[in-house]
Amino acid sequence: MMLAGKTALITGSTSGIGLGIAQALAAQGTNIVLNGLGDAKEIEALRLQIEATHKIKALYHGADMTKPEQIRDMCKKSVALFGAVDILVNNAGIQFVSPIDEFPEEKWDAIIAINMTSAFHTTKACLPEMKQKGWGRVINIASAHGLVASPYKSAYIAAKHGVVGMTKTVALETATDNITCNAICPGYVNTPLVQNQIRDQAKHHGISEAEVVEKIMMQPQPTKKFVEIEQLGALAVFLCSDAASNITGTALPVDGGWTAR
Ligand code: NAD
């Protein structure tokens, strides 16, 4: 229970990586603020499950990450309830794949807003209490695509490179406040976001989903294995530990060797 009594807000934590990180932090005793889209009953069941399993308090706020007002309201309510957001995990994200000359403007705007700008709004809103308490952790879930590019993902790659840049800046601005800010850069993780891509690619290429995974998706990932959600949860917990207090401003690849090429 290394983080007992602290509070973590994880954006996009109703599914996938965000939910895994929420579970891993809750297991260390942090109170949790869940956020994300989904069925209200299922989200309430998830909130109750996290509270019961880990004996902590969990709040859900449905702020839409494209809406700055709602993001600010989520941070304000979290601080009002728990006193501070000690650990902020900027994780919410979406994907859209298309050549840039056909890329729909509204998809570009949504990806930049959800995958990058929302992290500006949450960080701006949560840093004052972290500074006041003299402890804080900001963890941005970027991507291997925050470090290198692939075709047809211009908005996603622009947003993720932006997140890596913002991570470095926040780290420098908070370096003497006992606050760290790091980006985690996963390769492919088998979540709904990637399952949608597998389905689309199988249709597009007229091959099976298993072939998409083997021949296309795992092609840049030398280990040929999906990154596990639990591995990302464990890294997030480590970044919150005292042992990691001098790790700041980094973009940590968890990508099976993708960016080593
Ligand atoms: P996911 O689809 O399982 O989860 C995305 C989460 O974001 C969900 O909880 C969803 O409700 C939430 N979300 C989406 N739009 C939102 C909005 N407008 N407002 C609030 N919440 C919203 O996907 P995931 O794979 O777990 O992705 C999580 C993060 O990890 C993303 O930032 C993604 O870019 C990043 N990532 C994923 C992979 C991968 O292979 N899955 C690899 C690298 C990075």
Side-chain angles (χ1 to χ4, degrees):
M1 302 296 266
M2 181 182 79
L3 300 169
K6 299 215 185 290
T7 298
L9 185 162
I10 305 103
T11 69
S13 44
T14 52
S15 165
I17 296 169
L19 177 56
I21 290 176
Q23 298 274 14
L25 290 171
Q28 295 299 323
T30 61
N31 295 316
I32 297 292
V33 182
L34 290 171
N35 159 261
L37 312 177
D39 176 78
K41 273 199 196 128
E42 284 175 23
I43 294 172
E44 179 58 9
L46 199 59
R47 190 188 72 75
L48 292 172
Q49 176 267 311
I50 291 175
E51 282 197 335
T53 307
H54 304 292
K55 314 273 181 292
I56 50 96
K57 285 264 158 247
L59 168 76
Y60 167 72
H61 193 294
D64 179 339
M65 290 298 112
T66 65
K67 305 268 183 333
E69 272 306 319
Q70 294 184 21
I71 298 173
R72 281 191 283 274
D73 184 68
M74 173 178 69
C75 297
K76 210 169 130 190
K77 292 212 167 102
S78 306
V79 170
L81 185 65
F82 293 118
V85 171
D86 306 289
I87 300 162
L88 170 64
V89 183
N90 290 306
N91 165 80
I94 57 168
Q95 176 62 288
F96 190 80
V97 180
S98 160
I100 194 163
D101 50 349
E102 294 166 17
F103 212 96
E105 278 83 3
E106 67 277 11
K107 293 287 184 197
W108 174 278
D109 289 343
I111 290 176
I112 297 298
I114 296 167
N115 295 22
M116 186 181 75
T117 309
S118 70
F120 159 72
H121 292 297
T122 53
T123 305
K124 181 176 175 183
C126 293
L127 272 184
E129 276 75 21
M130 287 187 197
K131 285 185 180 169
Q132 209 175 1
K133 286 181 78 174
W135 194 94
R137 295 288 188 266
V138 181
I139 301 173
N140 295 325
I141 307 305
S143 168
H145 280 133
L147 302 169
V148 295
S150 303
Y152 313 126
K153 295 183 175 176
S154 53
Y156 188 87
I157 286 162
K160 295 299 187 182
H161 275 69
V163 164
V164 169
M166 184 161 48
T167 300
K168 295 177 188 174
T169 308
V170 171
L172 294 178
E173 291 186 16
T174 58
T176 56
D177 293 307
N178 206 22
I179 296 168
T180 69
C181 179
N182 293 286
I184 296 178
C185 298
Y188 282 116
V189 191
N190 197 356
T191 67
L193 182 141
V194 159
Q195 284 148 14
N196 289 339
Q197 288 181 62
I198 296 173
R199 226 175 1 255
D200 292 350
Q201 294 257 4
K203 234 184 269 165
H204 181 75
H205 295 288
I207 56 177
S208 72
E209 294 190 6
E211 279 174 302
V212 171
V213 171
E214 191 191 321
K215 297 195 174 131
I216 302 176
M217 215 148 247
M218 289 301 135
Q219 196 275 328
Q221 203 152 302
T223 56
K224 308 291 177 205
K225 282 186 201 147
F226 279 114
V227 174
E228 299 295 329
I229 290 174
E230 292 72 18
Q231 295 171 339
L232 300 172
L235 178 55
V237 168
F238 173 69
L239 286 173
C240 293
S241 71
D242 287 343
S245 64
N246 238 338
I247 300 176
T248 195
T250 67
L252 294 163
V254 186
D255 63 4
W258 182 327
T259 55
R261 288 179 200 271

